[in-house]
Amino acid sequence: MNSDVPTPIAPGQPRRRPPRGSYSNRLSSNLLGVEGGQDGGSVPVQANGIVEEEIAEIKRYEVDWVQDAAREELRRRARERERTAHPHWGGAAIGLNAAFLNIVTEWLSDIKRGYCTTAFYLNENFCCWGAENAGSGISEIKCIIAGFVMKGFLGFWTLIIKSIGLPLAIASGLSVGKEGPSVHYAVCTGNVISQLFEKYKRNAAKSREILTACAAAGVGVAFGSPIGGVLFSLEEISSYFPLKTLWRSYFCALVATAVLAAMNPFRTGQLVMFTVKYDRSWHFFELIFFVIIGIFGGLYGAFVMKWNLRVQAFRKKYLKDYSVIEATLLAATTAVVCYPNLFLRIDMTESMEILFLECEGGHDYGGLCQMVGILVQALHESAPDSSFFASCEPDVPCITPGTYAFLGAGAALSGIMHITVSVVVIMFELTGALTYILPTMIVVGVTKAVGDRFGKGGIADRMIWFNGFPFLDNKEEHTFGVPVSTVTMNDLTVIPSSGLDLTSLEWLLSENKFQGFPVVESSTSRVLVGYIGRTELLYAIERAKRERSVLPSARCFFGTAPSSTLTPSSTLRPPMSFDTIPSTSGQMSIDFSRFMNPTPLTVHPHLPLETVMEVFKKMGPRVILVEYRGQLTGLVTVKDCLKYQFKVEAEGNPRDDSSLNESQERLWRLMQHGVAWLREKASRVTGGQIQLGSPPLLERSMRSPRSSHVAIDDIFRGDHVLELGDR
């Protein structure tokens, strides 16, 4: 970085701010490789379009909602009838994939209890039916939709591996479900399909609208709740949700659930296995127990999130080098503990169906249904004539234990995810009972109130913080009471609008890893001219070298080239672009003004920091420049805002993690002793033919464990897997 600081302008000296054309005019201006100084001439429309397409291709990961919408409107007018992708393609693919996963998962789960003798490829329901009549990655997705880039996270191979590994993991008996990961594979499906169409491949904002719609479809097929999926996408996933995205999310979820219903994977007509119907209502005396369930949901969510983060910290610190061994031991332990148990052997989704059902009839499974709501049922049976149960009808079961399991599941989901409206709608669509909307709302409301006492944000928000992703949550409100100049980066690397040679410009790019550079009139005056991104600048230099013979000493201009720098012979020739200029002995000057944004987003240094954070949330720029009376004084990014936010929170809530670190160290030593004992026993039994683990590797890990969390400075150093781009 250079250490240039703003230089005050002498009294009486006119303060000039260069005019800035509109962004659309900048896109339609000529790309000139200037050797002469005459005005006139233009680049052919076809060549101009090629340049814009190439720029759009290299910027396909960056998203700016406003500018992308304007460019898309221009493209739409130019190609009114061009074939493009629509949300229903993604919805249909998500529905097919969900049906496939449901069928494979149920078949693999039933293998543990036997197989169909007439056709081994049929699961238990299909086998009997044939005999009678022939029956997650949400935190990363939130960041991606917010405008960040995680290359490969939504790729084709991720979709394939997820679709294969998910049924195997569920059928193995692990305590995992497909409801959370359904959002991930649905968004992967939408991303893969959208890349087949130029409209979405080159437009990051449009692509993220597709991802938002696919997230809604993923929840819709997981819970059989298309409206709940749309609300989940609005409440939890998307940080920018215009009305058109609402409609597209609804349509995508509708198509996905329709395809799933048409395939009928369970041969029951249900979208999911645990769909239930209640034909009995609830009583007002049960409100007391509903509140208790809500309190439990809030406490349970806080407990799970706290210990989940601690386990993640331990795994990141000690077990990162032993992922295969960890997964193997976890699967083996789960099999040993769960398989002998009749209730744990069945699939988790099937157990939810049993717990949700009304216990009368032949739907019980080893008495499991009676275990839920037994307290309230026992109270009623002990004192059926009490005035407390006066509203119960005679000769009709007063208590439905399945409803307590149903409400408890909603409370747990709300407590862990910290979502409210979408949970109520999902539960309503699962039961189809309007009478249970009020109990669900009460339970979820109490859960929300209790959970907020233990911290803001659900498990996805906590994991974003834990992994150090630069994400501003639009649900949070802050009052810092400081101006933006408090967090502004003042020691900037700037590019003068004229006078810099090509060699110096390339050296500046090689020595700095910044994603963009402010352009000023000169390093002394610091009058702001514009802003140019690193991607555009690299592309412009590469294109200039590829198309023209450019001298290393060629002067680079980011505005109108001064006439004093032009050669006399050039006045006889019109200006030439990279596409049309003939071969010469070498260009003496290059104009990069086409690739510069002459109207960057700027703010006053005294603007409150809270307002700047809202601008980042609502508009999603990569960077905001800070200028005072036309002079550049600094810039601010999302990372700068988050660093200050974490600093304030750390000062207001100091934590001492020494006891936690000691506990983790004791647990790690205990695990090492256990592994050493197993290694010794295995070696003794097999005569040394089987060796478990590597003692030197374990000792090295104990001496230098990894940090259990990501330090604030490491989060924002710029070498993280996450890349920050314009929305």
Side-chain angles (χ1 to χ4, degrees):
M1 295 184 183
N2 57 32
S3 57
D4 295 331
V5 296
T7 303
I9 296 179
Q13 179 181 352
R15 189 180 304 275
R16 182 172 60 88
R17 181 168 181 169
R20 302 176 183 176
S22 67
Y23 192 71
S24 59
N25 291 337
R26 179 174 67 87
L27 284 178
S28 60
S29 62
N30 294 332
L31 172 64
L32 300 181
V34 179
E35 183 186 16
Q38 267 191 346
D39 294 334
S42 61
V43 181
V45 176
Q46 182 178 2
N48 198 35
I50 294 175
V51 175
E52 291 187 7
E53 290 179 1
E54 293 183 359
I55 296 176
E57 175 64 21
I58 61 177
K59 294 183 64 178
R60 65 184 182 276
Y61 295 115
E62 301 175 4
V63 51
D64 184 315
W65 300 115
V66 179
Q67 303 298 345
D68 281 353
R71 288 195 294 266
E72 182 57 31
E73 181 63 20
L74 294 177
R75 293 194 192 104
R76 187 189 65 81
R77 293 177 181 177
R79 50 181 192 185
E80 191 70 31
R81 298 182 179 180
E82 181 176 348
R83 180 185 178 186
T84 57
H86 294 282
H88 68 266
W89 290 109
I94 293 170
L96 291 172
N97 196 15
F100 167 77
L101 292 180
N102 287 335
I103 294 172
V104 173
T105 300
E106 189 175 3
W107 180 80
L108 291 173
S109 299
D110 290 344
I111 288 294
K112 294 180 292 187
R113 292 178 290 174
Y115 66 95
C116 184
T117 56
T118 57
F120 74 92
Y121 51 85
L122 297 178
N123 62 22
E124 182 178 357
N125 289 335
F126 283 178
C127 184
C128 300
W129 173 77
E132 295 174 357
N133 297 307
S136 178
I138 294 179
S139 58
E140 289 83 359
I141 293 172
K142 288 183 66 173
C143 293
I144 291 173
I145 293 178
F148 305 111
V149 177
M150 295 181 187
K151 295 181 180 179
F153 188 80
L154 302 178
F156 174 77
W157 287 111
T158 303
L159 174 62
I160 296 298
I161 295 173
K162 193 88 171 183
S163 300
I164 295 176
L166 186 59
L168 295 175
I170 296 173
S172 67
L174 293 174
S175 298
V176 294
K178 59 179 177 295
E179 287 72 30
S182 65
V183 178
H184 189 188
Y185 75 69
V187 176
C188 287
T189 303
N191 181 67
V192 171
I193 293 179
S194 66
Q195 296 306 305
L196 302 177
F197 300 87
E198 289 296 325
K199 175 181 178 180
Y200 298 99
K201 184 177 181 181
R202 299 191 309 170
N203 191 320
K206 287 289 183 182
S207 177
R208 279 163 173 77
E209 290 180 9
I210 291 293
L211 301 185
T212 303
C214 290
V219 175
V221 297
F223 293 97
S225 173
I227 304 300
V230 175
L231 293 176
F232 176 84
S233 183
L234 171 62
E235 184 177 4
E236 178 66 13
I237 295 295
S238 180
S239 58
Y240 179 78
F241 205 89
L243 185 60
K244 60 181 179 180
T245 304
L246 177 67
W247 156 246
R248 290 169 180 171
S249 300
Y250 165 78
F251 190 70
C252 187
L254 171 64
V255 174
T257 51
V259 172
L260 181 62
M263 295 193 66
N264 195 12
F266 305 112
R267 286 298 186 269
T268 60
Q270 299 175 347
L271 295 178
V272 292
M273 185 182 295
F274 46 84
T275 300
V276 292
K277 301 293 183 183
Y278 295 129
D279 54 13
R280 295 197 294 266
S281 183
W282 54 280
H283 307 86
F284 275 96
F285 68 81
E286 295 182 274
L287 290 177
I288 299 175
F289 305 103
F290 296 159
V291 172
I292 294 175
I293 292 176
I295 295 174
F296 162 79
L299 297 176
Y300 174 77
F303 175 83
V304 169
M305 285 189 288
K306 177 180 179 179
W307 285 98
N308 178 73
L309 292 178
R310 290 192 174 185
V311 171
Q312 292 297 330
F314 180 82
R315 292 179 64 247
K316 180 175 287 188
K317 186 175 182 180
Y318 295 102
L319 303 180
K320 193 170 184 179
D321 292 332
Y322 311 104
S323 55
V324 176
I325 297 177
E326 178 191 6
T328 303
L329 292 178
L330 180 63
T333 304
T334 303
V336 171
V337 173
C338 297
Y339 189 78
N341 191 307
L342 181 64
F343 304 122
L344 298 179
R345 188 187 308 173
I346 62 177
D347 180 49
M348 185 174 62
T349 306
E350 186 176 354
S351 65
M352 291 175 61
E353 178 190 20
I354 297 170
L355 291 171
F356 286 176
L357 288 172
E358 297 175 346
C359 296
E360 292 78 13
H363 303 294
D364 201 358
Y365 182 79
L368 178 63
C369 188
Q370 302 295 334
M371 296 171 60
V372 182
I374 190 172
L375 176 62
V376 183
Q377 198 169 32
L379 287 175
H380 175 257
E381 292 176 355
S382 62
D385 298 328
S386 172
S387 59
F388 186 75
F389 300 106
S391 59
C392 294
E393 299 179 4
D395 302 327
V396 176
C398 182
I399 306 300
T400 305
T403 59
Y404 289 84
F406 166 78
L407 295 174
L413 178 61
S414 177
I416 294 177
M417 295 296 298
H418 276 220
I419 52 179
T420 54
V421 179
S422 54
V423 172
V424 175
V425 176
I426 287 173
M427 292 302 176
F428 163 68
E429 291 186 278
L430 279 175
T431 62
L434 286 171
T435 56
Y436 281 92
I437 286 186
L438 181 58
T440 307
M441 293 178 66
I442 294 174
V443 169
V444 170
V446 174
T447 299
K448 172 69 172 175
V450 174
D452 287 343
R453 300 290 298 176
F454 295 91
K456 302 293 184 180
I459 186 65
D461 301 306
R462 306 286 179 90
M463 288 305 299
I464 289 175
W465 169 85
F466 179 81
N467 291 320
F469 297 153
F471 175 77
L472 283 175
D473 192 353
N474 59 353
K475 297 189 292 291
E476 292 184 356
E477 296 182 359
H478 300 281
T479 304
F480 299 109
V482 298
V484 67
S485 58
T486 306
V487 302
T488 298
M489 184 187 302
N490 298 316
D491 189 13
L492 302 178
T493 300
V494 299
I495 298 177
S497 61
S498 61
L500 193 67
D501 59 74
L502 184 59
T503 302
S504 300
L505 185 60
E506 291 180 323
W507 178 87
L508 184 145
L509 287 171
S510 63
E511 291 296 318
N512 300 280
K513 300 302 180 182
F514 303 122
Q515 297 302 312
F517 304 92
V519 179
V520 296
E521 275 195 347
S522 65
S523 299
T524 55
S525 70
R526 308 276 282 200
V527 175
L528 183 62
V529 175
Y531 184 86
I532 186 168
R534 184 185 189 89
T535 303
E536 295 93 319
L537 188 55
L538 288 172
Y539 166 78
I541 294 175
E542 177 63 27
R543 183 174 176 84
K545 289 182 175 181
R546 185 175 68 248
E547 300 294 338
R548 295 302 319 125
S549 174
V550 181
L551 296 177
S553 59
R555 296 294 174 178
C556 302
F557 297 97
F558 295 85
T560 304
S563 58
S564 59
T565 64
L566 304 177
T567 59
S569 60
S570 64
T571 59
L572 301 178
R573 297 195 300 259
M576 293 164 284
S577 71
F578 293 147
D579 300 290
T580 59
I581 190 169
S583 248
T584 64
S585 59
Q587 297 302 308
M588 298 304 297
S589 61
I590 311 173
D591 187 2
F592 291 114
S593 59
R594 162 164 190 138
F595 301 94
M596 180 190 69
N597 181 7
T599 57
L601 190 59
T602 60
V603 296
H604 193 277
H606 293 165
L607 189 69
L609 178 59
E610 299 86 355
T611 305
V612 175
M613 295 177 71
E614 287 299 318
V615 173
F616 276 118
K617 294 175 185 178
K618 298 298 189 297
M619 299 185 65
R622 175 192 296 173
V623 62
I624 296 178
L625 302 180
V626 181
E627 64 173 352
Y628 181 69
R629 295 183 178 178
Q631 283 186 306
L632 178 69
T633 62
L635 62 80
V636 60
T637 65
V638 172
K639 298 179 181 180
D640 298 320
C641 297
L642 286 174
K643 288 171 73 173
Y644 184 81
Q645 175 184 328
F646 292 162
K647 178 183 176 181
V648 172
E649 292 176 351
E651 292 175 352
N653 301 283
R655 296 178 55 185
D656 183 11
D657 294 334
S658 57
S659 59
L660 176 61
N661 294 332
E662 292 176 1
S663 301
Q664 290 182 346
E665 186 67 25
R666 287 195 298 268
L667 178 59
W668 175 241
R669 291 180 182 274
L670 179 62
M671 294 175 63
Q672 284 185 313
H673 292 317
V675 171
W677 181 82
L678 287 175
R679 183 172 57 251
E680 180 182 356
K681 291 297 183 181
S683 178
R684 183 180 302 175
V685 171
T686 61
Q689 295 182 359
I690 297 180
Q691 297 289 336
L692 299 179
S694 174
L697 182 58
L698 294 177
E699 293 175 1
R700 283 199 306 272
S701 298
M702 183 179 66
R703 286 198 303 267
S704 58
R706 286 178 169 82
S707 174
S708 61
H709 60 86
V710 183
I712 294 179
D713 291 337
D714 294 335
I715 291 174
F716 305 110
R717 189 169 291 157
D719 54 357
H720 202 273
V721 67
L722 208 60
E723 296 179 3
L724 179 63
D726 286 331
R727 269 220 300 267

